[in-house]
Amino acid sequence: MNVVKKQIIKGRGSMRLLFFAVFGLAGHVTAEDVQYDQSKLAEIGTKLDQLYESGVIPNYVVDIRRAGQPVYFRARGNTELGGSVPVSDQSIYVLASMSKPIVSTAVLKLIEEGKLGLDDPLAKYFPQFESMLVAPNGDLDVPFEEANTAITIRHLLTHTAGFTYPPEVLGVGDVAELYNEIGLFGANSSEEFGDILSQIPLVAHPGETFNYSVSIDVLGGIIEQVTGKRLSAHLKESIFDPLKMNNTGFFVSDEKRQLLAKIYGPASPNNPAPLIENDPIEWKISEALYFGRDFENMGRKPLVDSGGGGLFSSSNDFLQYAQMVANYGELNGIRILSRQTAELHFQDLMPGLGLEAFRANFGEAAKYMKFGGGFGIKMEEDGSGAADYYFWGGAANTFFWIDGEDQSVGAFFTHIAPPRYNMTDQIEDIVDQARIK
């Protein structure tokens, strides 16, 4: 924990500030009293340059802002190896699971408008989920159990509904295999998706544990039902257009495909790295498929808008969204959420689960992490109970964070699948160390 945070916790009024650090953004730092040591921030570029120059990432964009003003920005490389279009804050990347926070915001907005309730049962919107069976730990060889409680919107927001993902995305047990075998992701509509999913047992009783899952896709279907609009249309109307997120959507138009960055993976004998004339970098990566799709098929208009992983965006657009959330629901005079509703993003909506639930799903690296209303919560490692930052990432190596102390926001985008360079913790720590008051 940095010196400034230690002083805040130990200083006068620390209990009030600690409350907001855990259950919402502190909101006690004004724009005019925050500055950053640029020489310290330069360490971010040094770290990322090491990755780029060693040939293991094809490019990068790191974009950090506060109160709508740039704190640090650096971009390097092109949208494809050997290409001529430099990456920038307008370059379009696959958000993948970074779609989830945005869809969660849309759900909270509908709750604020009285069109949904946080503890509404899922069966209110999709009756086929009225009676669910549970295969404990996803094991199909043990007796099934009747779910001991109904799945709610709260469960869906917090990945505690008992759903899972296929094996390639942290799927649990035999049930995860069923997701692929039954063709869940081949559904032609959100209604069909729900019909298929409702026939598959849960891996845990709702509310009992955290399992990263398709629950945000289910929320996308609920949004469509409640609004009577396709998810893409609703998000455009309620979030993207007001925040001027012009490069964000569930597909990339032909006129913007020159902004779309290709996805790469580790080179192999069967898929060697390209040899680019006069390039000083010895590349160790090669163009890769993304969940079975090559570049030509990536970003095309989908049959179903995946709330859990279907969005494309740029760092500029995404930080417009993140800054709105960090500002308690408002950006440049445009209010998306009320302050009270925006604070739900940063609250632990399932406090009874504790830290162990998150670690059980994501491993030892997540031992100081919890989950709020659509966001991961990185806790301070000193046992103070304070939140360090709020975050999430995507399967193609995109990550973002919101700092709980000064409301700065940041994004690190590159395209490597599966992801292997989550620099969030390191970059956010450098920003903390660079902060001057």
Side-chain angles (χ1 to χ4, degrees):
M1 186 171 67
N2 66 45
V3 173
V4 171
K5 290 181 179 176
K6 287 180 180 176
Q7 290 174 341
I8 288 174
I9 290 173
K10 293 178 180 177
R12 183 174 297 174
S14 62
M15 289 307 294
R16 181 177 70 86
L17 295 177
L18 184 58
F19 174 86
F20 279 108
V22 177
F23 296 105
L25 296 181
H28 61 283
V29 180
T30 58
E32 58 270 16
D33 62 9
V34 178
Q35 296 179 352
Y36 298 88
D37 180 344
Q38 292 299 314
S39 63
K40 183 66 180 177
L41 291 175
E43 294 178 13
I44 297 170
T46 299
K47 286 182 176 293
L48 297 180
D49 281 345
Q50 289 172 352
L51 290 175
Y52 179 76
E53 291 170 4
S54 65
V56 296
I57 60 173
N59 52 53
Y60 70 80
V61 176
V62 60
D63 199 342
I64 304 168
R65 305 177 188 180
R66 184 181 182 280
Q69 300 300 312
V71 170
Y72 181 83
F73 179 84
R74 184 170 171 83
R76 191 167 179 191
N78 298 316
T79 56
E80 62 178 302
L81 298 186
S84 58
V85 180
V87 292
S88 71
D89 65 347
Q90 301 298 314
S91 296
I92 297 175
Y93 288 81
V94 177
L95 286 186
S97 284
M98 276 173 56
S99 308
K100 290 178 170 71
I102 294 175
V103 173
S104 298
T105 295
V107 168
L108 294 183
K109 186 173 178 63
L110 290 173
I111 291 173
E112 179 181 311
E113 294 169 353
K115 297 174 182 176
L116 289 176
L118 184 59
D119 292 305
D120 281 353
L122 168 57
K124 178 179 178 179
Y125 306 98
F126 289 101
Q128 58 267 50
F129 289 95
E130 180 73 44
S131 300
M132 293 297 292
L133 295 174
V134 177
N137 299 313
D139 188 347
L140 298 180
D141 293 327
V142 301
F144 292 175
E145 303 170 3
E146 292 186 7
N148 57 22
T149 190
I151 298 169
T152 66
I153 301 296
R154 182 190 298 267
H155 294 143
L156 294 170
L157 274 172
T158 56
H159 296 278
T160 58
F163 297 127
T164 187
Y165 258 129
E168 57 269 23
V169 192
L170 297 173
V172 176
D174 303 326
V175 169
E177 300 282 355
L178 276 182
Y179 279 30
N180 282 337
E181 291 172 12
I182 296 179
L184 178 62
F185 290 96
N188 293 312
S189 67
S190 59
E191 291 83 2
E192 184 181 350
F193 184 91
D195 286 341
I196 297 171
L197 184 62
S198 68
Q199 299 174 50
I200 304 174
L202 304 176
V203 301
H205 290 278
E208 285 194 354
T209 190
F210 178 97
N211 283 295
Y212 198 48
S213 71
V214 300
S215 63
I216 310 302
D217 288 284
V218 177
L219 285 174
I222 292 175
I223 290 172
E224 292 190 340
Q225 186 177 118
V226 168
T227 64
K229 300 174 183 176
R230 185 161 172 162
L231 181 60
S232 52
H234 178 70
L235 293 182
K236 185 175 189 298
E237 177 183 296
S238 63
I239 297 176
F240 301 155
D241 284 352
L243 296 180
K244 297 181 172 57
M245 296 170 65
N246 300 320
N247 288 334
T248 303
F250 287 97
F251 70 96
V252 181
S253 64
D254 289 341
E255 59 267 27
K256 291 193 173 183
R257 282 193 72 84
Q258 77 275 9
L259 298 174
L260 181 60
K262 281 191 174 182
I263 292 181
Y264 293 83
S268 68
N270 294 329
N271 192 19
L275 297 175
I276 302 170
E277 189 176 353
N278 298 322
D279 193 327
I281 295 175
E282 182 181 345
W283 296 105
K284 301 176 179 64
I285 54 178
S286 57
E287 191 173 344
L289 298 178
Y290 178 70
F291 289 100
R293 287 171 289 174
D294 60 20
F295 183 71
E296 284 306 310
N297 291 306
M298 191 175 75
R300 303 302 181 183
K301 193 167 185 177
L303 290 173
V304 180
D305 297 332
S306 169
L311 285 172
F312 295 78
S313 190
S314 63
S315 72
N316 177 75
D317 278 18
F318 197 88
L319 291 190
Q320 290 285 98
Y321 161 75
Q323 191 73 73
M324 176 275 294
V325 175
N327 293 351
Y328 299 100
E330 180 273 334
L331 183 69
N332 298 327
I334 302 297
R335 182 156 291 281
I336 304 298
L337 298 173
S338 71
R339 181 186 181 97
Q340 183 178 9
T341 301
E343 287 175 349
L344 291 174
H345 276 306
F346 309 107
Q347 294 181 17
D348 181 358
L349 298 181
M350 298 295 294
L353 294 183
L355 292 174
E356 184 55 38
F358 204 83
R359 178 165 53 179
N361 208 220
F362 284 99
E364 192 64 19
K367 64 182 177 179
Y368 295 106
M369 297 178 183
K370 301 179 79 170
F371 200 80
F375 290 69
I377 305 173
K378 172 65 189 304
M379 309 302 292
E380 291 284 10
E381 298 180 12
D382 62 352
S384 66
D388 187 3
Y389 59 83
Y390 309 88
F391 72 100
W392 208 241
N397 219 115
T398 59
F399 299 92
F400 84 98
W401 67 96
I402 297 174
D403 191 281
E405 183 173 332
D406 68 358
Q407 293 83 67
S408 60
V409 299
F412 165 53
F413 286 7
T414 188
H415 256 171
I416 288 288
R420 59 197 59 222
Y421 302 108
N422 182 354
M423 303 291 288
T424 302
D425 210 48
Q426 296 178 55
I427 297 173
E428 193 275 341
D429 190 54
I430 292 172
V431 177
D432 275 354
Q433 294 174 32
R435 189 184 299 120
I436 303 170
K437 294 182 182 176

